[in-house]
């Protein structure tokens, strides 16, 4: 089992870069802890080794998935490993429900959060912009790794730069903003996403603090984007999205939840399973 095999499988399964990176990281971890011969061992031996090495159901599930992928390529039996993966999935569901209960107790009030966000506009413009983009689009951390464009048209040079540097585009026009995202978690499923935002105050803050060709997140800090977004939002993008879903669900505004589903690049069933804290 090696990285070359994972790269081959990624092409066959159309995995995103993030998914492939996770598998590579898990593989490296396994090979640091286990003998490579374990991949060809009996299923019960594999399960015993995984149980011995890890306590987390999440990690166990990731590990066993790698063994299943490998053994499929060798046409080796996997029925016991699949049972074990199902068991881990059930344990994860229980943990998730417990975490959702805790989240529900600590979840912020969305209208209060909007008021809090408005207070950031003049003093902390970058935090304000990040929050407003996440609120408008329901998007994730990586989505706000943006390049600002103020020209009427986005020229080829700019597009090539953003593709090379894996940047999304915030095109500030006279009456609105167009966010073009090539680089986000579910891009292999949903392709390039384009969303128009009409928000005069957001446009004003962007124009006052950024110029054509500027990045929202400086290049040197882009590797820490999760930490930057956590700092900006105070509660993190996942909790913010859950807060919005809960708020609009309580209002009975399913149309807005569907809009957030589309702009986030997430299916409605996924939102119900993972972000609907009352479900």
């Amino acid at each position: 089992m090696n990285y070359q095999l994972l790269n081959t499988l990624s092409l066959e399964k159309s995995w995103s870069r993030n998914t492939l990176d996770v598998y590579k990281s898990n593989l490296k971890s396994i090979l640091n802890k286990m003998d490579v011969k374990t991949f060809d061992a009996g299923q019960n031996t594999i399960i015993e080794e995984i149980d011995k090495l890890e306590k987390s159901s999440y990690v166990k599930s990731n590990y066993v998935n790698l063994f299943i992928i490998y053994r499929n390529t060798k046409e080796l039996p996997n029925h016991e490993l699949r049972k074990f993966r199902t068991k881990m999935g059930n344990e994860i569901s229980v943990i998730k429900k417990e975490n959702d209960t805790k989240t529900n107790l600590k979840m912020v009030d969305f209208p209060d959060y909007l008021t809090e966000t408005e207070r950031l506009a003049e003093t902390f413009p970058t935090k304000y912009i990040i929050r407003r983009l996440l609120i408008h689009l329901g998007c994730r951390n990586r989505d706000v790794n943006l390049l600002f464009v103020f020209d009427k048209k986005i020229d080829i040079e700019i597009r090539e730069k953003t593709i090379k540097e894996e940047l999304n585009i915030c095109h500030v026009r006279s009456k609105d903003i167009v966010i073009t995202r090539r680089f986000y978690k579910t891009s292999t499923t949903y392709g390039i996403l384009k969303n128009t935002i009409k928000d005069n105050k957001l446009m004003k803050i962007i124009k006052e603090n950024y110029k054509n060709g500027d990045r929202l997140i400086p290049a040197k800090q882009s590797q820490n984007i999760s930490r930057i977004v956590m700092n900006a939002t105070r509660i993190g993008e996942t909790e913010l999205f859950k807060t919005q879903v809960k708020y609009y669900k309580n209002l009975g505004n399913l149309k807005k939840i569907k809009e957030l589903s589309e702009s986030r690049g997430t299916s409605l069933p996924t939102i119900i399973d993972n972000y609907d804290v009352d479900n």
Side-chain angles (χ1 to χ4, degrees), residues 8-248:
T8 302
L9 288 172
S10 73
L11 294 174
E12 292 176 1
K13 294 174 175 291
S14 300
W15 284 339
S16 69
R17 193 188 70 174
N18 285 349
T19 300
L20 183 57
D21 285 346
V22 168
Y23 277 131
K24 283 183 176 179
S25 175
N26 287 332
L27 177 59
K28 183 178 179 181
S29 179
I30 288 173
L31 293 178
N32 283 338
K33 297 173 182 177
M34 291 186 196
D35 190 316
V36 69
K37 293 178 182 177
T38 307
F39 279 93
D40 294 303
Q43 294 177 78
N44 289 330
T45 300
I46 293 171
I47 292 168
E48 287 171 8
E49 285 295 311
I50 293 174
D51 265 334
K52 186 171 31 174
L53 289 172
E54 290 296 335
K55 293 181 179 179
S56 166
S57 300
Y58 289 94
V59 177
K60 289 179 183 180
S61 178
N62 288 336
Y63 281 7
V64 76
N65 211 36
L66 267 176
F67 280 98
I68 290 171
I69 290 169
Y70 169 73
R71 291 169 68 88
N72 280 342
T73 66
K74 299 286 187 177
E75 298 185 352
L76 295 170
N78 275 324
H79 55 283
E80 293 299 330
L81 294 178
R82 287 198 174 92
K83 285 182 187 176
F84 182 73
R85 183 172 61 182
T86 300
K87 179 185 175 185
M88 292 304 101
N90 292 336
E91 290 182 8
I92 290 168
S93 295
V94 171
I95 294 167
K96 178 185 172 299
K97 285 182 180 178
E98 291 173 353
N99 289 340
D100 284 346
T101 300
K102 293 175 184 176
T103 296
N104 208 5
L105 291 173
K106 70 177 182 180
M107 189 173 286
V108 298
D109 179 75
F110 188 53
D112 287 348
Y113 190 81
L114 292 176
T115 301
E116 175 190 309
T117 297
E118 291 307 309
R119 297 194 192 107
L120 299 174
E122 302 299 333
T123 313
F124 300 102
T126 300
K127 288 184 178 181
Y128 175 78
I129 293 166
I130 289 173
R131 284 197 185 195
R132 290 302 299 170
L133 290 174
L134 263 64
I135 288 166
H136 276 297
L137 302 174
C139 59
R140 305 174 183 85
N141 297 332
R142 191 183 181 194
D143 301 44
V144 298
N145 196 19
L146 294 163
L147 183 83
F148 290 107
V149 178
F150 292 86
D151 296 334
K152 286 187 177 181
K153 291 185 178 181
I154 303 172
D155 61 34
I156 294 175
E157 195 174 313
I158 288 290
R159 288 194 187 279
E160 288 178 348
K161 174 183 172 65
T162 57
I163 292 171
K164 181 180 178 181
E165 299 181 19
E166 297 192 359
L167 294 166
N168 296 313
I169 298 173
C170 178
H171 189 192
V172 184
R173 306 191 298 190
S174 59
K175 295 182 180 180
D176 58 29
I177 298 167
V178 178
I179 306 293
T180 302
R181 285 171 287 159
R182 278 185 168 86
F183 305 102
Y184 63 101
K185 184 177 180 180
T186 54
S187 60
T188 55
T189 302
Y190 293 93
I192 298 171
L193 290 180
K194 279 192 177 185
N195 298 96
T196 301
I197 297 172
K198 294 189 175 182
D199 183 331
N200 291 334
K201 185 171 181 179
L202 176 59
M203 289 178 67
K204 173 178 175 289
I205 298 300
I206 290 173
K207 288 177 180 178
E208 287 176 353
N209 291 277
Y210 292 91
K211 63 183 184 299
N212 192 55
D214 281 351
R215 298 169 63 137
L216 176 60
I217 312 294
K220 291 181 179 179
Q221 298 177 28
S222 61
Q223 296 301 314
N224 299 315
I225 196 162
S226 296
R227 179 177 56 78
I228 291 169
V229 172
M230 174 59 80
N231 187 15
T233 60
R234 182 173 61 77
I235 58 175
E237 60 93 355
T238 300
E239 298 306 322
L240 175 52
F241 190 66
K242 285 182 178 179
T243 299
Q244 290 189 82
V245 170
K246 179 180 173 65
Y247 175 71
Y248 290 116

